Amino acid sequence: GEKSGVFARLAGLGEARNQALAAESLPPDRPGVEAWLGRHPELSGPRKTWQDLLKLTLKARELNQVNGNLISTRLANNQQALTTLLSAANQAALYGPDGQARPIGGGRSLGSV
């Protein structure tokens, strides 16, 4: 769908960037891009695009951190609820159908077959 199309476009742009960097013997990373921009001060469009990309990356990192915190909180709440439910189910198993307390453990003594 739409996401796969955007991903394919990003992959293509990334490959074009890596080729442009390799053509000038620069590594395909942030220092490589910044060195490339330093070599081409006349190109204001790519410089602005790079700065916009860095801002978006920072925003995405912040959103990812917030999402991670929300997921951790939700997971802890779910774990606590599950523990409470399992504890309640175990308590219920301690009483027989007649409402009388059942002995804890199996019906056999230790050492019996």
Side-chain angles (χ1 to χ4, degrees), residues 30-75:
R30 184 175 180 168
V33 171
E34 290 174 355
W36 187 90
L37 289 170
R39 292 180 185 178
H40 301 280
E42 74 282 1
L43 301 175
S44 62
R47 183 174 316 284
K48 177 163 181 359
T49 301
W50 178 247
Q51 291 168 349
D52 290 345
L53 178 62
L54 292 178
K55 288 176 190 173
L56 287 172
T57 301
L58 180 60
K59 182 69 174 173
R61 184 177 297 129
E62 291 169 357
L63 289 172
N64 192 36
Q65 182 67 36
V66 168
N67 284 340
N69 291 340
L70 290 172
I71 289 168
S72 294
T73 300
R74 179 65 59 96
L75 183 61

Side-chain angles (χ1 to χ4, degrees), residues 10-27:
L10 284 173
L13 290 171
E15 183 58 33
R17 178 204 60 217
N18 291 345
Q19 288 175 0
L21 293 171
E24 296 192 28
S25 301
L26 293 170

Side-chain angles (χ1 to χ4, degrees), residues 92-109:
L94 297 178
Y95 295 92
D98 58 359
Q100 297 299 313
R102 283 191 203 170
I104 297 176
R108 295 183 300 188
S109 305

